[in-house]
Amino acid sequence: MGQALLQYLRGFDPTAQPPSIRRAYRRELVAACSFPVPLAMIEGAVVSVIAALLFEARPIELATILAAPMFANLTSGFWARLSRGRRKAPMLALIQCGVLATLGGIALLPTGRDGALWLVGLVVLARCLVAGSLTVQTTIWRANYPRAMRSRVTGRLMLINTVVFATAPVLAAVWLDRFLPSAPWLFRGVYVGAALVGIIAVASIAGLRVRRERSLIKGEITGYEPGTTTGISTPEELSVTASTTDHDGSMLAILRRDRLFRNYMVAQFLAGLANMAGNTAMIVFIVGLIETLPEDGWVGPYFVGILLTSAVVQALVALSIPFWASYLDKVHVARFRTRHGLLWIATQSAQFILAILTLPTTALLALALIPRMMQGLVFGGGKLAWQLGHHDFAGRNHAASYMGVHQTLTGVRGLVAPYLGVLLFTGWDRADWGGLTLPGFNGIGPWCFAITTALAVLAWLGFVRLAREIDARGGPSVED
């Protein structure tokens, strides 16, 4: 066991990588150790705690903060078009600079209600930029890392990314609990410090080389890509033929031509809808509990809140990524989702059980560790599959377009699911708009998790059906 662990840890060493990817891996390793620090400070679960306790944010504002990473994906089409025919690393570095600038803006905000809406706006802007960085980065990974080892290599980067991502908010929470009760303005130091650390990542990414980038850029411009890639669909179902007339990269064109990818997106939409709505409602549930905690307790509300909403989840993401990465390298993403989807169902069920319990606040917060740990396991597999899964359908020159479709559909459900989760859980007040009256609704409370569980079951059935069809066609190809 010890020898196996040592061997695994050696795999993180750049010199242990094949010569063809060593230089790129080294630069991305530096970025993975530094850029998660600023990212953690705009992560929805972290910002929602700060927004509730320091900016007096309302539930609908918390829902917007939590929804921002999802609906920001609606900008992916813009980023995919903008990146087409351009050098990838300099563009990624420029986008990351924009993210750091938003952290500087947050550091300048007044606390309380005066800064609440500005905080929401800056978080949304930051998440739009992060969506752009993901669109570009997945293309870089496709070019630099062969399919047979892509999940393991990127899994190592994601693991380091996740460890830093989980640790940074906990350190920030200790700072906030220590100083904010007497000096609320000191939260600014957290955001300035995070932005400074992010500069290290930008410098490293700016010098990253992309393999065969000239050929990649030419292919993006001309639309030419010889041969097929997945080996599981007929030419009529895939958008990767040599004819330029088949290279319409629009979302509807891709979904129309590639039936397997379309079915994958339908099942993924249902699964994402369940997860986004359920996770948002659970975070609102936890934030409501920590708002009742005394500031002079043995642990502060910032620490408890960030621990449960973010740190525990990210720790389990880090622990589970090696397992998920090894499995994803061996199977098509549809088969991967059949196993992963069972855990999705279990997590939503656990949230439902927690929410219907009538126990003291401290007991509920302690029990919340269970579904939050399960959520971390779900996110570990989901993080890999979300960023890499579309490659099992897309050709090399179409990776950005397929990722754009995936991101756009994620953004669509991001516009709906988090608000659906919060409104079903908490309800809304009666409202009058120009003579039109919207009656108030008290919400259904814990039963919103019964709905998300049912959606997760439907999604799992969709993945099972798709996996069986792909297996019947001979399974996936690992050719690049």
Side-chain angles (χ1 to χ4, degrees):
M1 180 66 178
Q3 187 68 25
L5 178 61
L6 184 61
Q7 187 67 27
Y8 177 75
L9 292 176
R10 284 175 181 162
F12 288 86
D13 186 355
T15 61
Q17 311 307 318
S20 61
I21 71 168
R22 194 172 295 162
R23 182 181 297 180
Y25 177 80
R26 182 180 288 111
R27 286 193 170 272
E28 291 214 60
L29 191 64
V30 172
C33 291
S34 49
F35 203 68
V37 175
L39 285 183
M41 300 317 302
I42 56 170
E43 199 266 327
V46 174
V47 180
S48 63
V49 174
I50 295 173
L53 299 179
L54 193 60
F55 288 86
E56 303 171 20
R58 301 185 175 107
I60 199 67
E61 292 166 344
L62 295 181
T64 302
I65 288 172
L66 292 165
M70 282 78 83
F71 68 65
N73 286 294
L74 287 172
T75 64
S76 61
F78 164 78
W79 295 114
R81 288 191 297 272
L82 188 64
S83 68
R84 201 166 186 83
R86 299 177 188 272
R87 295 186 60 203
K88 309 307 176 191
M91 182 174 180
L92 178 57
L94 184 61
I95 294 172
Q96 290 178 337
C97 285
V99 174
L100 301 184
T102 63
L103 267 71
I106 292 174
L108 298 175
L109 294 179
T111 57
R113 287 299 307 164
D114 290 342
L117 289 179
W118 284 103
L119 175 67
V120 173
L122 284 170
V123 170
V124 170
L125 175 59
R127 296 311 308 194
C128 289
L129 290 166
V130 171
S133 72
L134 290 175
T135 302
V136 178
Q137 190 171 54
T138 190
T139 304
I140 293 175
W141 285 348
R142 175 61 183 260
N144 282 348
Y145 307 125
R147 171 65 175 89
M149 62 185 303
R150 187 180 299 135
S151 296
R152 277 169 290 170
V153 173
T154 58
R156 293 187 189 107
L157 295 172
M158 288 183 190
L159 178 58
I160 295 173
N161 185 302
T162 303
V163 170
V164 178
F165 195 83
T167 304
V170 174
L171 297 177
V174 172
W175 170 278
L176 295 172
D177 277 324
R178 173 66 178 84
F179 295 108
L180 256 62
S182 57
W185 58 272
L186 282 175
F187 90 96
R188 308 179 197 285
V190 171
Y191 281 89
V192 171
L196 292 176
V197 173
I199 293 175
I200 299 172
V202 173
S204 183
I205 289 296
L208 181 66
R209 293 182 63 182
V210 179
R211 290 176 60 218
R212 298 178 292 174
E213 187 168 36
R214 288 184 180 178
S215 173
L216 173 62
I217 291 174
K218 181 179 179 180
E220 288 180 338
I221 295 173
T222 64
Y224 176 73
E225 180 175 7
T228 59
T229 56
T230 65
I232 57 172
S233 299
T234 63
E236 290 77 19
E237 292 173 322
L238 292 171
S239 60
V240 287
T241 65
S243 171
T244 57
T245 60
D246 285 338
H247 282 273
D248 180 358
S250 70
M251 183 179 74
L252 292 179
I254 290 172
L255 293 175
R256 183 176 61 251
R257 284 193 298 262
D258 193 337
R259 185 176 62 84
L260 294 180
F261 185 63
R262 180 172 70 244
N263 292 341
Y264 177 66
M265 288 291 95
V266 170
Q268 184 61 31
F269 193 92
L270 291 173
L273 197 66
N275 194 48
M276 290 179 187
N279 187 55
T280 304
M282 179 51 53
I283 289 177
V284 170
F285 174 72
I286 291 172
V287 167
L289 293 176
I290 65 171
E291 285 181 322
T292 65
L293 291 177
E295 291 187 351
D296 57 351
W298 66 277
V299 288
Y302 286 99
F303 181 83
V304 174
I306 289 177
L307 182 72
L308 288 176
T309 60
S310 180
V312 168
V313 174
Q314 295 304 323
L316 268 294
V317 170
L319 290 174
S320 64
I321 277 180
F323 165 76
W324 291 124
S326 177
Y327 184 51
L328 184 58
D329 270 339
K330 299 173 184 176
V331 299
H332 191 277
V333 68
R335 175 60 58 190
F336 176 92
R337 288 292 193 183
T338 62
R339 299 284 182 87
H340 185 246
L342 291 174
L343 187 56
W344 227 320
I345 296 169
T347 302
Q348 298 302 322
S349 301
Q351 292 180 156
F352 175 56
I353 294 171
L354 174 70
I356 63 176
L357 295 176
T358 54
L359 295 173
T361 297
T362 52
L364 287 174
L365 288 171
L367 289 174
L369 282 168
I370 298 173
R372 298 310 289 166
M373 291 173 70
M374 295 173 69
Q375 186 73 66
L377 296 175
V378 169
F379 280 166
K383 190 171 186 177
L384 277 170
W386 192 87
Q387 295 198 39
L388 299 175
H390 65 287
H391 291 302
D392 282 349
F393 300 92
R396 178 176 180 263
N397 293 346
H398 290 76
S401 295
Y402 270 62
M403 185 59 172
V405 173
H406 198 176
Q407 285 186 285
T408 299
L409 291 176
T410 300
V412 171
R413 60 182 176 264
L415 278 174
V416 177
Y419 297 103
L420 178 66
V422 169
L423 293 176
L424 284 176
F425 186 73
T426 65
W428 59 80
D429 295 329
R430 171 176 169 160
D432 293 304
W433 293 316
L436 178 64
T437 300
L438 178 67
F441 174 60
N442 294 326
I444 59 176
W447 290 97
C448 73
F449 298 110
I451 294 175
T452 59
T453 301
L455 289 172
V457 171
L458 290 175
W460 177 76
L461 292 173
F463 287 127
V464 168
R465 180 180 179 183
L466 178 61
R468 288 175 178 170
E469 181 177 358
I470 289 172
D471 288 345
R473 290 171 177 247
S477 165
V478 295
E479 296 177 2
D480 254 340

